[in-house]
Amino acid sequence: MLLATAASVIASQARISGAYSMTKQAIQLVLLPRMRILNTSAQEVGQICVPLVNWVVMAAVVLATVGFGSSSALASAYGIAVTVTMFITTVLTFFVVHHVWKYTLALAVAATASFLVIDAVLVVSCSLKILQGGWFPLVMGAAIFAVMATWKRVAANC
């Protein structure tokens, strides 16, 4: 019980910190409207709290937990989310290696191809679980993308 509680606290901190960071970056890129961002430390840069994001994440976690009803049902959603994130990160790594670090195309491909193959195999294997809950992170991602794309288009026309 103690180990599960500790794991939950660590996972929730990672989720909240990531949500804060991504929200702040999205606001700076004009992909989301301005929100109240609180700096929680006078000494550390980047220690922030976004109260609205806190409430949205809490509501999403509660709805997902109630909606799925069990940890095994949530595992399918988690698997898709993690493996697709790994795949996208590997693709983005290629662009950093090639365009930012200025490595040759051959070296950039060599540096990322093996990881991309492994990530692709994991995504394909997890895709078997899309109907058992793996659809959830895909729908959430599409909804967040729609909000951001809409906000960007509206902000550009104002």
Side-chain angles (χ1 to χ4, degrees), residues 19-80:
Y20 289 166
S21 297
M22 296 299 284
T23 300
K24 183 177 179 185
Q25 293 299 313
I27 291 168
Q28 291 174 333
L29 293 169
V30 194
L31 294 171
L32 286 175
R34 291 183 185 175
M35 294 178 210
R36 193 169 118 220
I37 298 175
L38 306 173
N39 292 301
T40 59
S41 173
Q43 293 83 22
E44 296 292 327
V45 176
Q47 295 292 319
I48 62 171
C49 175
V50 186
L52 179 61
V53 170
N54 243 9
W55 289 104
V56 169
V57 168
M58 184 211 53
V61 168
V62 168
L63 289 173
T65 303
V66 170
F68 282 101
S70 72
S71 59
S72 61
L74 273 170
S76 298
Y78 184 75
I80 290 285

Side-chain angles (χ1 to χ4, degrees), residues 53-123:
V53 170
N54 243 9
W55 289 104
V56 169
V57 168
M58 184 211 53
V61 168
V62 168
L63 289 173
T65 303
V66 170
F68 282 101
S70 72
S71 59
S72 61
L74 273 170
S76 298
Y78 184 75
I80 290 285
V82 169
T83 56
V84 170
T85 299
M86 289 169 41
F87 184 86
I88 292 169
T89 302
T90 301
V91 170
L92 293 174
T93 300
F94 166 81
F95 289 103
V96 169
V97 170
H98 185 56
H99 295 290
V100 177
W101 295 349
K102 306 291 186 201
Y103 283 39
T104 65
L105 179 62
L107 189 55
V109 168
T112 56
S114 59
F115 292 106
L116 195 61
V117 168
I118 293 167
D119 292 342
V121 169
L122 291 171
V123 169

